[in-house]
Amino acid sequence: MLAMSDINCIKHLRNKKGLSITKIKETVGINWRTAKKYADEDQLPKSKIKKSKGMMHSEKWGVIVSDWLFEDSKLKKKLRRTKKQIFKDLQELGFEGSYRTVCYFITDWENSHNDELDKGHERLEHPPSEAQVDFGVMEVVKDGEFVDTHVLVMSYPYSNAGFAVPLPSENQECFLQGLKHLFKQAGGVPRKIRIDNLTPAVKKVRSKTEEAQLTDAFIQFQNHYGFEVQVCNPRKGNEKGSVENKVGYIRYNFFTTSPVIDYCRRIEPLMRNFEPVNAK
């Protein structure tokens, strides 16, 4: 049998150069029948199907477990049998194999049926220079009382970098001023920003027939800085999961003990320690 490099050479001479079988025979130095075989006949690889062995496949147990797994796939995840429960149920039916044998079979079954089961979700792609922005409410101490401050967070999912700025409110003036601070911290403006239905930016949420409508002030701000805006679907926080995680990171790393301040801007030196975050 010829090496794949020789077979590719024969195919190239026949299909690209248009040489005859006799000419290919002389060029490669093989007999005429071999040249004809590799030049004109299909050389498709033969699929090798490995036949599964063991008691789970040779006896009834594999069929029983497959039926149970298929039935459970229609249920909510919390209601499905665990591997240990399946093993106990098999033992009650007279199964004499080990728990590990059952686990191996279930793992193989799940791997071979992943494409068939409806996952109900789609993987999100995050290209470079795409950012996500959201507010998070943190607790601080002002004049001896606990009050809320609003922290505007910007996250870059591709690099996992994050930036934040504390603000006294979530109105339009604070939102736009906060974005300016975030752009300055990041050293540039992202190409695309993904937001939820923030009132300072969105005046009408997306419907089944219409896209979300932005406020006039935010459109002017967008045109000035030249970035694109992508508005999430209503009640779909998972579509901006990166910034949601960053909000939690700030809360549990910088506000575990409520800082004492005179005004929200006094938190800014603390928040500078957050830019950027590269730990996943």
Side-chain angles (χ1 to χ4, degrees), residues 58-111:
S58 60
E59 301 179 24
K60 63 179 180 180
W61 308 115
V63 177
I64 294 175
V65 175
S66 296
D67 290 342
W68 289 349
L69 293 174
F70 182 76
E71 292 172 358
D72 287 356
S73 66
K74 306 297 182 182
L75 303 175
K76 294 182 179 179
K77 194 169 184 179
K78 292 182 179 180
L79 301 178
R80 299 174 187 175
R81 300 177 181 90
T82 62
K83 294 179 180 178
K84 185 170 292 186
Q85 183 61 48
I86 291 176
F87 176 65
K88 290 181 179 179
D89 292 343
L90 286 176
Q91 285 184 318
E92 293 178 0
L93 297 177
F95 180 71
E96 297 180 354
S98 65
Y99 173 66
R100 182 172 295 181
T101 299
V102 177
C103 291
Y104 285 154
F105 180 84
I106 294 175
T107 300
D108 292 340
W109 189 93
E110 290 175 343
N111 291 336

Side-chain angles (χ1 to χ4, degrees), residues 35-278:
K36 174 66 176 176
K37 173 183 176 182
Y38 290 108
D40 295 337
E41 295 181 10
D42 292 333
Q43 304 294 323
L44 297 176
K46 297 181 180 179
S47 59
K48 297 180 179 179
I49 301 177
K50 185 178 180 181
K51 188 175 180 179
S52 299
K53 299 180 180 179
M55 61 187 306
M56 296 297 295
H57 301 279
S58 60
E59 301 179 24
K60 63 179 180 180
W61 308 115
V63 177
I64 294 175
V65 175
S66 296
D67 290 342
W68 289 349
L69 293 174
F70 182 76
E71 292 172 358
D72 287 356
S73 66
K74 306 297 182 182
L75 303 175
K76 294 182 179 179
K77 194 169 184 179
K78 292 182 179 180
L79 301 178
R80 299 174 187 175
R81 300 177 181 90
T82 62
K83 294 179 180 178
K84 185 170 292 186
Q85 183 61 48
I86 291 176
F87 176 65
K88 290 181 179 179
D89 292 343
L90 286 176
Q91 285 184 318
E92 293 178 0
L93 297 177
F95 180 71
E96 297 180 354
S98 65
Y99 173 66
R100 182 172 295 181
T101 299
V102 177
C103 291
Y104 285 154
F105 180 84
I106 294 175
T107 300
D108 292 340
W109 189 93
E110 290 175 343
N111 291 336
S112 62
H113 289 74
N114 276 342
D115 295 335
E116 299 176 12
L117 299 178
D118 182 14
K119 295 297 184 181
H121 65 267
E122 187 174 329
R123 182 177 178 81
L124 296 175
E125 298 294 336
H126 301 292
S129 301
E130 181 179 288
Q132 299 177 6
V133 173
D134 197 14
F135 274 106
V137 179
M138 315 292 174
E139 188 179 76
V140 297
V141 178
K142 179 183 177 182
D143 298 331
E145 297 182 357
F146 288 100
V147 297
D148 291 334
T149 187
H150 304 266
V151 179
L152 185 63
V153 182
M154 183 170 66
S155 174
Y156 287 85
Y158 185 83
S159 62
N160 200 33
F163 306 90
V165 58
L167 301 165
S169 178
E170 295 186 12
N171 58 31
Q172 190 173 81
E173 181 181 1
C174 291
F175 177 60
L176 299 182
Q177 186 65 33
L179 287 177
K180 291 182 183 179
H181 282 293
L182 294 177
F183 296 161
K184 185 177 180 180
Q185 290 181 25
V189 180
R191 294 180 181 178
K192 181 182 293 186
I193 296 179
R194 180 176 295 181
I195 60 175
D196 59 11
N197 294 276
L198 295 169
T199 303
V202 180
K203 62 181 179 181
K204 187 176 181 180
V205 300
R206 176 185 289 133
S207 65
K208 294 182 178 179
T209 57
E210 297 181 352
E211 289 294 323
Q213 296 181 16
L214 305 177
T215 60
D216 294 339
F218 186 62
I219 292 176
Q220 293 177 354
F221 184 87
Q222 172 195 353
N223 291 336
H224 176 76
Y225 283 96
F227 59 86
E228 298 180 28
V229 178
Q230 187 176 19
V231 182
C232 297
N233 290 303
R235 298 176 297 277
K236 293 292 183 180
N238 60 293
E239 295 180 355
K240 53 179 180 61
S242 177
V243 71
E244 296 281 354
N245 290 333
K246 288 293 189 298
V247 171
Y249 180 92
I250 295 172
R251 179 175 291 113
Y252 297 124
N253 285 272
F254 297 98
F255 289 86
T256 50
T257 301
S258 301
V260 180
I261 61 169
D262 295 327
Y263 189 65
C264 290
R265 62 189 176 191
R266 295 285 298 277
I267 308 177
E268 290 187 12
L270 172 67
M271 299 308 300
R272 292 196 187 101
N273 296 330
F274 175 65
E275 47 173 305
V277 172
N278 294 316

